[in-house]
Amino acid sequence: AAEEPEELPLPTEEPQHEKPQTEVPATEATPAQAVLEELRVSSITPSSVGLQWTVPKGSFDSFMLQYRDAQGQPQALPIDGGSRSVIVPGLSPSHRYRFHLYGLRGGKRIDRVSTDIVTGKAEASEEPLPSEESEEEKPKPESPASEALPARAVLGELRVSSVTPNSVQLQWSVPEGSFDSFMLQYRDGQGQPQALPIDGGSHSVTVPGLSPSRRYRFHLYGLRSRKKIDHVSTEVLTGEGE
């Protein structure tokens, strides 16, 4: 009877040989836990989708959005850990896409949320919004000056937070007031104008589908009641081809 085992194995999945007191890190594990919640659609056009998500508990170093394009090729968009939304451009009209958003910490996938989306039907754009357009149609912006002061909204500097050979992440601030939405405009590798609608609560966007070693000029417009209130620009050179 003297040889009865006195230590009972702890009821965890992995064997605990050298660490008999495994409960100690459990107290750290709770605050370190990070949770991703519902991946929602904030906007849909025939060629783009806006997605939003929340992090009700903890935080992530970064996110990774994965999906297959219309040709079935896998695409992966790195997203800054502080972002809670992304615009995915370059999609095909009337096409079903399945998006997977991963929350990463220490280079490891901690949590995941997914959603299915069908893009809108192809149609002629109602509002072309060309880059560097002049604002002739609004000859009297000064007239509502008395209302304009409390309703004033200002865009801060447009900064580059990350660059890869085929994507760029941009960030901006709104030091004064607020906007209903934003519009990012640029020309793609073929010189075609692109316009990305962005939710008014977002302060960053990832632009995928770019060409390596190419200079792009991005224009970010702040919109209120569908009118352009303020505008900031930046130039970015993508890294070399991998």
Side-chain angles (χ1 to χ4, degrees), residues 151-159 171-182 199-204 220-224 229-230 232:
R152 183 176 147 95
V154 176
L155 266 175
E157 183 191 6
L158 185 60
R159 301 186 314 277
Q171 288 185 330
W172 61 93
S173 59
V174 181
E176 192 173 330
S178 64
F179 294 96
D180 297 339
S181 64
F182 301 99
D199 183 76
S202 301
H203 287 167
S204 69
L220 182 74
Y221 295 88
L223 280 71
R224 258 205 323 219
I229 305 296
D230 201 2
V232 285

Side-chain angles (χ1 to χ4, degrees), residues 13-64:
E13 264 82 313
E14 61 258 273
Q16 305 290 323
H17 306 302
E18 28 265 295
K19 299 189 286 182
Q21 74 279 23
T22 324
E23 285 88 354
V24 184
T27 50
E28 307 160 12
T30 318
Q33 190 182 8
V35 175
L36 259 178
E37 221 166 59
E38 186 191 9
L39 186 59
R40 301 185 312 278
V41 180
S42 57
S43 65
I44 293 185
T45 74
S47 60
S48 72
V49 165
L51 300 172
Q52 289 183 329
W53 59 93
T54 56
V55 181
K57 190 187 291 191
S59 63
F60 294 97
D61 298 339
S62 63
F63 302 99
M64 180 69 74

Side-chain angles (χ1 to χ4, degrees), residues 134-145 227-228:
S134 56
E135 304 281 353
E136 290 100 36
E137 307 114 84
K138 300 186 280 180
K140 44 183 175 51
E142 290 85 9
S143 22
K227 290 184 181 176
K228 294 177 176 176

